[in-house]
């Protein structure tokens, strides 16, 4: 069963790569993933990243310059009903093209349900998220409300008996809910990485992140490949209180 789930997610990642028509961006994706356990039921998390495009290839004959593509800041609070099921609410700020004159600001909230379970030594994770988005219109100054639904499936499985080295995979599907959206299936994020557990509070991951996104009504799309480097830190404040 575990092998089948690994094969399924690898197939999703490979399918996304094969479907590419125009490779337009290659870069690095530094990420900080911090969380803290406050009580047996309550946890907070802070998730920050930046997308740095180092090399670009032509899209429809044009060559976009290398740049800082976007920055992302997420602050969330999670309530765990039990060890398998959790509910999360979050505020997100995202800035596209932050160093350019054509930057775009987005304020967003999301409501999320997460479900995970173990299959032998592998943890399989499901996530369903509703995004409420307020994207700045630079021409009118308006921030109309739009929404989308996202589904993510992923797994984490150890590659050594001591569990210090592990494989992390996921694929996330983005579905726009507004009639005015360019495409219903607007984005797809696929990730495959190796993780290393430094100690009980810290891990690092290094791997490939592929982002697909439709950007016009002719269904032309942008494709970005990143080397994602992630520092994962977790603090259990219950243990601190006991000391």
């Amino acid at each position: 069963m575990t092998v089948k789930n690994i094969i399924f997610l690898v197939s999703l990642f490979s399918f996304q790569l094969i479907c590419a028509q125009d490779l337009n961006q290659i870069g690095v994706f530094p990420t900080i993933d911090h969380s803290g356990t406050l009580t047996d039921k309550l946890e907070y998390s802070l998730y920050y990243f930046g997308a740095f495009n180092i090399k670009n290839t032509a899209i429809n004959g044009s060559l976009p310059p290398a740049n800082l593509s976007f920055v992302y800041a997420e602050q969330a609070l999670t309530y765990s009903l039990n060890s398998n099921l959790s509910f999360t609410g979050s505020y997100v700020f995202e800035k596209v093209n932050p160093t350019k004159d054509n930057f775009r600001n987005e304020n967003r909230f999301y409501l999320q349900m997460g479900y995970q379970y173990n299959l032998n030594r592998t943890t399989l994770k499901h996530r369903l998220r509703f995004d409420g988005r307020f994207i700045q219109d630079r021409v009118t100054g308006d921030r109309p409300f739009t929404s989308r639904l996202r589904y993510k499936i992923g797994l984490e499985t150890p590659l050594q008996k001591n569990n210090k080295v592990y494989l992390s995979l996921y694929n996330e599907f983005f579905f726009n809910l507004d009639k005015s959206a360019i495409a219903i299936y607007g984005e797809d994020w696929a990730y495959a990485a190796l993780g290393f557990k430094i100690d009980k509070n810290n891990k690092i991951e290094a791997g490939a992140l592929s982002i697909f996104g439709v950007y016009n009504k002719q269904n032309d799309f942008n494709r970005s490949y990143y080397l994602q480097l992630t520092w994962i830190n977790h603090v259990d404040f219950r243990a601190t209180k006991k000391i």
Side-chain angles (χ1 to χ4, degrees):
M1 186 67 176
T2 300
V3 174
K4 288 182 179 179
N5 281 282
I6 293 175
I7 293 173
F8 174 67
L9 279 177
V10 170
S11 298
L12 283 176
F13 186 83
S14 301
F15 176 75
Q16 205 217 53
L17 299 183
I18 291 169
C19 288
Q21 294 179 8
D22 292 315
L23 171 63
N24 55 55
Q25 297 174 143
I26 299 174
V28 293
F29 202 92
T31 304
I32 297 175
D33 184 352
H34 168 73
S35 60
T37 300
L38 301 173
T39 69
D40 291 344
K41 297 291 187 180
L42 202 60
E43 180 174 300
Y44 74 88
S45 59
L46 306 173
Y47 191 71
Y48 305 123
F49 61 73
F52 295 87
N53 299 325
I54 296 173
K55 182 179 180 180
N56 296 311
T57 60
I59 309 173
N60 296 329
S62 64
L63 186 64
N67 69 309
L68 174 59
S69 182
F70 57 92
V71 292
Y72 177 98
E74 172 188 315
Q75 297 72 217
L77 198 62
T78 296
Y79 176 80
S80 297
L81 190 63
N82 51 50
S83 60
N84 302 109
L85 183 62
S86 64
F87 300 91
T88 302
S90 175
Y91 164 72
V92 174
F93 175 76
E94 182 176 290
K95 194 179 190 78
V96 178
N97 295 325
T99 62
K100 305 294 182 180
D101 292 335
N102 64 338
F103 69 87
R104 187 200 75 193
N105 292 329
E106 177 180 344
N107 290 280
R108 182 191 316 166
F109 72 87
Y110 72 68
L111 301 174
Q112 171 182 296
M113 179 178 67
Y115 185 76
Q116 67 177 39
Y117 53 95
N118 295 324
L119 298 170
N120 296 322
R121 299 172 66 206
T122 298
T123 301
L124 189 64
K125 304 175 183 180
H126 300 269
R127 189 178 81 183
L128 185 63
R129 176 181 293 183
F130 172 82
D131 278 340
R133 311 175 72 190
F134 298 89
I135 303 174
Q136 180 186 26
D137 187 320
R138 297 290 305 284
V139 177
T140 65
D142 295 334
R143 292 174 172 82
F145 176 78
T146 59
S147 60
R148 66 185 177 190
L149 198 63
R150 300 161 57 172
Y151 169 66
K152 178 179 178 181
I153 180 172
L155 64 79
E156 183 177 305
T157 187
L159 300 178
Q160 292 182 330
K161 290 183 179 180
N162 60 12
N163 295 338
K164 285 193 173 183
V165 180
Y166 62 92
L167 174 67
S168 180
L169 299 172
Y170 75 71
N171 203 98
E172 184 166 18
F173 310 88
F174 294 67
F175 300 98
N176 294 311
L177 301 179
D178 296 276
K179 293 181 179 179
S180 60
I182 293 173
I184 295 176
Y185 178 33
E187 292 183 41
D188 189 289
W189 291 41
Y191 176 72
L194 287 177
F196 306 88
K197 295 184 179 180
I198 301 172
D199 54 38
K200 67 177 183 178
N201 295 324
N202 295 280
K203 300 187 292 185
I204 57 172
E205 290 184 5
L209 172 66
S210 173
I211 301 176
F212 155 96
V214 178
Y215 70 91
N216 62 28
K217 293 184 177 181
Q218 288 71 45
N219 289 323
D220 294 325
F221 55 82
N222 291 341
R223 167 75 61 166
S224 301
Y225 293 117
Y226 295 105
L227 171 62
Q228 182 168 349
L229 303 171
T230 306
W231 171 42
I232 303 169
N233 170 262
H234 181 81
V235 179
D236 190 341
F237 289 97
R238 297 172 303 173
T240 303
K241 290 179 181 179
K242 290 178 182 179
I243 294 174

